[in-house]
Amino acid sequence: MPRRTATMLASTLVLIALLCAGVLITVPYAEMSPGPTVNTLGDSGGEPVLQISGHKTYPTTGHLNMTTVRVTGADYRMNLVEAVYGWLAHDSVVVPHDTLYPDGKTDEQSNQENAEEFSQSQESAKVAALNELAIPVKSWVIVSSVVKGSPAEGKLHAGDAIKAVDGTTVTKPADVAALVTKHKPGQNVVFTVVPAKQAEVAKKAGTAPEGGEKLTITTEKATDGDRAIVGIQAGTDHAFPFSVDIKLADVGGPSAGLMFSLGIVDKLTPQDLTGGKFVAGTGTIDDSGKVGPIGGIEMKLIGARQAGARYFLTPNDNCAAAAADIPSGLTLVKVDTIHDARQSLDKIRTGDTAGLPNCSAK
């Protein structure tokens, strides 16, 4: 066999061997890539994303798209070839597996957590939107969760409305911890609560739970300090003056909050927010309308531009990373609150884009 042919054959065999090894060798990485975007003013799966009844709504135009990131599953292990391809591709990011799935979370655990965060983000989006429009929303403190084996187990339940602790009325979740930690471990604390089923009836009627029964719980010492605890996580529930439903399947996490809230505002106000423009964005939102940062901003920018967006509402804390690699034709708009976002949409609608608060790389 001629030397040149033998060399080529040997090189081919080595390459095949390397490729086979690359496919068989798994690496501790996961991949992020642009996911689908959905217009919160439009339909998904054949029905409107935002469904409002019991209050006058108005026609909308344009786009207020929420954006997503597609990630490999918690139980999936990339091989070396996939990781190298992901590192070289412009429209994907390869990150350490533990960055996306800390503490060894499984797909089931991750999906459950994302579903809970998505549900909470919808609730906060509704509250933020109605607060922005000065529409009253009734709120109260609830038991979000009870730690297994804690003093509260069997006495307090998720969904119970907490009216008072030791006779002191509570108006926000932090009040509960502050009042419990006034005690020493082993001392009794008295909760005034409305059972979850009764609280849910009040919520459906559009009112806050009234009354309450007293329960005495003996505190214990926290595992990470000397403070007294009873083993609950407090949260907030709301009663809305009319029905606002968000219908969107196969999406998780809290990052669509801002765009949901803006979509609700748009449908409840005569003035068209976008003026027919294509605006996308991302960001968590709390009840007060504060916009928070999210993960995967680079992938969301790519997905938004591929869908046709010209403007992207960007949380302030994500601005530096976003501005480092802006897709051509996309303008980044910095936002801190839902009110900021509305003001920027006014500028986009009227064409006064020179006054937009743009993101810049640090």
Side-chain angles (χ1 to χ4, degrees):
M1 180 183 298
R3 178 179 297 177
R4 181 177 180 182
T5 301
T7 300
M8 290 180 62
L9 178 60
S11 299
T12 300
L13 292 174
V14 170
L15 180 59
I16 292 173
L18 289 174
L19 288 173
C20 289
V23 170
L24 295 174
I25 297 173
T26 59
V27 291
Y29 291 95
E31 185 179 45
M32 303 169 63
S33 58
T37 73
V38 178
N39 185 11
T40 62
L41 303 176
D43 294 349
S44 177
E47 60 180 345
V49 174
L50 300 176
Q51 301 179 13
I52 300 173
S53 59
H55 193 283
K56 183 175 177 57
T57 58
Y58 300 87
T60 59
T61 64
H63 288 250
L64 285 171
N65 277 43
M66 52 83 67
T67 51
T68 65
V69 175
R70 184 178 286 111
V71 298
T72 50
D75 298 332
Y76 181 77
R77 292 295 180 267
M78 297 182 68
N79 62 48
L80 184 59
V81 172
E82 291 172 321
V84 171
Y85 180 83
W87 277 317
L88 297 175
H90 177 69
D91 60 351
S92 66
V93 174
V94 175
V95 298
H97 186 274
D98 290 346
T99 301
L100 297 180
Y101 304 104
D103 304 322
K105 288 180 181 175
T106 64
D107 275 334
E108 183 179 357
Q109 291 171 326
S110 180
N111 290 338
Q112 177 64 29
E113 183 177 291
N114 284 336
E116 292 172 355
E117 290 179 339
F118 185 62
S119 177
Q120 181 56 53
S121 76
Q122 293 181 43
E123 194 82 353
S124 292
K126 298 173 192 178
V127 177
L130 298 194
N131 284 341
E132 176 66 14
L133 297 174
I135 299 174
V137 176
K138 293 181 175 66
S139 303
W140 59 91
V141 179
I142 64 167
V143 177
S144 288
S145 61
V146 179
V147 177
K148 186 176 179 60
S150 70
E153 186 180 19
K155 294 188 175 183
L156 296 177
H157 305 86
D160 287 350
I162 305 174
K163 303 293 290 185
V165 176
D166 291 330
T168 300
T169 300
V170 296
T171 59
K172 55 184 183 294
D175 293 343
V176 178
L179 290 166
V180 169
T181 54
K182 285 185 176 181
H183 293 269
K184 293 180 180 179
Q187 292 182 333
N188 290 338
V189 58
V190 179
F191 284 79
T192 304
V193 301
V194 178
K197 289 183 178 180
Q198 186 178 332
E200 186 64 23
V201 170
K203 177 178 179 176
K204 289 180 178 178
T207 63
E210 297 294 339
E213 58 187 57
K214 292 183 179 181
L215 296 171
T216 299
I217 301 176
T218 303
T219 62
E220 68 178 8
K221 182 180 177 181
T223 57
D224 59 351
D226 294 329
R227 72 186 189 283
I229 62 170
V230 295
I232 65 168
Q233 180 70 41
T236 307
D237 206 352
H238 311 276
F240 299 98
F242 50 89
S243 175
V244 181
D245 288 325
I246 299 174
K247 303 290 187 181
L248 191 59
D250 301 323
V251 176
S255 66
L258 170 63
M259 302 312 292
F260 284 144
S261 64
L262 290 172
I264 294 168
V265 169
D266 202 357
K267 286 181 174 287
L268 292 176
T269 51
Q271 177 65 68
D272 185 2
L273 287 188
T274 70
K277 304 295 196 309
F278 197 136
V279 180
T282 190
T284 65
I285 201 162
D286 64 18
D287 291 0
S288 71
K290 175 69 176 177
V291 176
I294 50 79
I297 186 67
E298 300 90 344
M299 298 298 98
K300 291 185 176 183
L301 297 180
I302 294 172
R305 188 67 189 101
Q306 289 175 344
R310 301 302 300 273
Y311 301 92
F312 194 93
L313 303 179
T314 311
N316 185 18
D317 290 343
N318 289 122
C319 263
D325 189 12
I326 307 173
S328 177
L330 190 65
T331 298
L332 303 188
V333 182
K334 180 174 64 176
V335 294
D336 273 309
T337 66
I338 184 177
H339 192 68
D340 291 344
R342 284 187 73 189
Q343 290 180 321
S344 291
L345 288 172
D346 285 342
K347 295 179 184 299
I348 291 171
R349 185 185 67 252
T350 59
D352 181 24
T353 54
L356 287 173
N358 294 325
C359 288
S360 59
K362 295 180 180 179

